[in-house]
């Protein structure tokens, strides 16, 4: 199992680059970042510095979206980075949440997401694509290669992932939910005539190594609030009728709105509705043994990568603990 890390693009950007460099030294496979350019700094500028100061890690957003930038611009950014630093980029993509909502916009449709995956991957892999009835190709990107991993929760998004994605990103670390969603993606891939085994599966969630469980829960409760935004959209579309596992739909009944000024922040006051049980299921907390046990469960389900969010008050110690005790045990 690969181990990646997910960082926020908070200033100073040099600190993020330093964490990325240390992650590579510790054996991490991927460095991901949030992509919400109003709340945090622009990630693609920072990627260039990370790639320049490392030699092995794969770098990309968790996740970008088809609405913030023109699809051809997204593809060009990836292809340019690949030309400069070798094929060391990856595109995580979803419908969009904070990056669009803070602008007063709504997430993209699944149809837009589906089309964008083909356009971005094709252009950034040196292929000819059709967009708005025009054939387009980056003639300078013939050696570039880009994989696109889709973030999804709802039934239709999971089906889309199986049909067109190179990988699936699930942003929570509950083995029961992961098993349900991985099965849905694999089933969709098989129905589409694709090889389900060719799709990579990534679970991403906050991880905090230590013994003060109450403190760790308070530091990671924000994550249940963030996931709740996506689940609320699903419930609004499908109702709480079993379209997704009940643990996802039940806990958001106490949700009373959300302030994106606190998005992805420890101590988020709009995440108080998230119970301890959900924090424990969605995140990985406690001593190293707890992390190893959960990750072994996920690996047994077919998860290829765990990407840990480091949005809490003990980033460096958790990074070091993973690098010294968990990466060697799972690689």
């Amino acid at each position: 199992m690969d181990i990646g890390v997910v960082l926020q693009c908070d200033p100073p950007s040099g600190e993020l680059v330093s964490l990325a460099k240390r992650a590579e030294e510790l054996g991490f496979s991927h460095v991901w970042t949030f992509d919400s350019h109003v709340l945090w700094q622009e990630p693609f500028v920072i990627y260039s510095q990370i790639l320049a100061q490392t030699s092995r890690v794969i770098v990309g957003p968790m996740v970008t979206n088809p609405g913030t930038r023109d699809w051809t611009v997204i593809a060009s950014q990836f292809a340019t980075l690949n030309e400069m630093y070798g094929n060391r980029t990856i595109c995580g993509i979803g419908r969009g949440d904070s990056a669009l909502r803070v602008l007063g916009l709504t997430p993209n449709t699944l149809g837009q997401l589906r089309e964008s995956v083909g356009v971005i991957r094709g252009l950034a892999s040196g292929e000819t694509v059709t967009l708005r009835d025009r054939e387009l190709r980056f003639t300078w990107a013939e050696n570039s290669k880009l994989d696109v991993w889709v973030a999804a929760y709802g039934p239709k998004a999971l089906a889309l992932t199986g049909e067109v994605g190179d990988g699936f990103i699930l942003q929570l670390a509950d083995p029961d939910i992961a098993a349900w969603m991985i099965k849905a993606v694999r089933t969709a891939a098989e129905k589409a005539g694709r090889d389900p085994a060719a799709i990579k599966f990534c679970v991403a969630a906050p991880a905090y190594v230590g013994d003060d469980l109450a403190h760790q829960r308070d530091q990671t409760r924000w994550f249940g609030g963030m996931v709740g935004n996506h689940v609320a959209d699903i419930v609004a579309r499908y109702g709480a009728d079993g379209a997704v596992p009940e643990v996802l739909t039940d806990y958001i009944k106490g949700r009373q709105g959300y302030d994106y000024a606190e998005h992805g922040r420890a101590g988020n006051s709009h995440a108080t509705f998230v119970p301890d049980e959900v924090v424990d299921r969605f995140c990985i907390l406690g001593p190293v043994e707890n992390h190893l046990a959960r990750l072994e469960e996920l690996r047994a389900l077919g998860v290829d990568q765990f990407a840990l969010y480091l949005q809490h008050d003990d980033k460096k110690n958790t990074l070091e603990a993973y690098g010294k005790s968990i990466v060697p045990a799972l690689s």
Side-chain angles (χ1 to χ4, degrees):
M1 175 187 278
D2 287 337
I3 303 294
V5 62
V6 187
L7 305 172
Q8 279 180 346
C9 296
D10 279 319
S13 56
E15 182 176 327
L16 188 157
V17 175
S18 294
L19 284 170
K21 290 169 64 178
R22 184 57 181 154
E24 178 172 88
E25 292 169 356
L26 290 168
F28 284 71
S29 61
H30 291 67
V31 174
W32 305 86
T33 75
F34 283 43
D35 178 8
S36 193
H37 64 287
V38 174
L39 298 179
W40 304 291
Q41 294 179 319
E42 168 58 35
F44 282 91
V45 177
I46 298 172
Y47 295 159
S48 192
Q49 282 297 307
I50 294 174
L51 289 164
Q53 297 185 45
T54 57
S55 60
R56 179 184 53 79
V57 288
I58 306 299
V59 178
M62 186 176 286
V63 294
T64 194
N65 69 86
T68 303
R69 309 173 186 87
D70 184 271
W71 306 347
T72 62
V73 172
I74 297 173
S76 185
Q77 289 170 317
F78 282 114
T80 301
L81 291 171
N82 283 344
E83 188 279 324
M84 294 174 70
Y85 303 108
N87 290 322
R88 293 174 52 211
T89 66
I90 190 167
C91 178
I93 195 167
R95 293 176 57 229
D97 181 36
S98 64
L100 295 174
R101 294 189 196 271
V102 297
L103 300 175
L105 302 173
T106 56
N108 294 269
T109 67
L110 289 176
Q112 290 169 322
L113 176 60
R114 177 188 297 274
E115 186 180 5
S116 73
V117 169
V119 169
I120 293 167
R121 178 174 55 211
L123 284 175
S125 298
E127 301 170 3
T128 299
V129 305
T130 300
L131 179 63
R132 294 185 285 272
D133 297 323
R134 291 177 178 269
E135 286 194 348
L136 304 173
R137 180 172 174 264
F138 297 158
T139 57
W140 47 270
E142 59 183 10
N143 295 319
S144 178
K145 173 66 177 175
L146 181 71
D147 284 347
V148 179
W149 293 12
V150 181
Y153 292 106
K156 291 183 179 179
L158 292 169
L160 180 156
T161 303
E163 291 161 3
V164 303
D166 297 303
F168 167 48
I169 296 171
L170 171 60
Q171 295 177 84
L172 54 83
D174 180 277
D176 292 335
I177 296 174
W180 187 91
M181 293 192 173
I182 288 171
K183 181 180 179 181
V185 171
R186 285 176 170 160
T187 299
E190 190 170 5
K191 287 181 179 178
R194 303 182 70 201
D195 178 6
I199 299 173
K200 298 294 185 181
F201 294 96
C202 174
V203 163
Y208 195 141
V209 177
D211 297 317
D212 189 345
L213 192 57
H215 178 71
Q216 293 176 358
R217 285 169 175 159
D218 287 343
Q219 285 286 301
T220 56
R221 199 175 306 276
W222 64 267
F223 184 69
M226 185 186 82
V227 172
N229 292 330
H230 303 289
V231 177
D233 282 347
I234 295 168
V235 172
R237 186 173 299 111
Y238 300 102
D241 61 356
V244 294
E246 286 185 7
V247 67
L248 276 176
T249 58
D250 284 353
Y251 88 96
I252 67 163
K253 292 175 182 177
R255 184 176 180 269
Q256 297 179 344
Y258 193 80
D259 184 354
Y260 279 91
E262 295 183 315
H263 187 64
R265 304 285 186 187
N268 184 332
S269 62
H270 296 268
T272 55
F273 70 92
V274 182
D276 287 350
E277 178 192 359
V278 168
V279 178
D280 292 347
R281 292 185 69 165
F282 286 11
C283 307
I284 308 183
L285 310 176
V288 166
E289 299 78 52
N290 289 21
H291 295 251
L292 285 171
R294 180 78 66 85
L295 294 175
E296 287 290 3
E297 279 190 83
L298 292 169
R299 180 160 68 171
L301 296 174
V303 174
D304 299 286
Q305 180 184 160
F306 175 65
L308 60 144
Y309 285 95
L310 278 183
Q311 284 68 52
H312 55 65
D313 61 0
D314 202 25
K315 298 179 181 66
K316 292 182 180 178
N317 285 336
T318 292
L319 191 73
E320 294 291 325
Y322 260 72
K324 293 174 181 177
S325 301
I326 295 174
V327 171
L330 294 175
S331 62

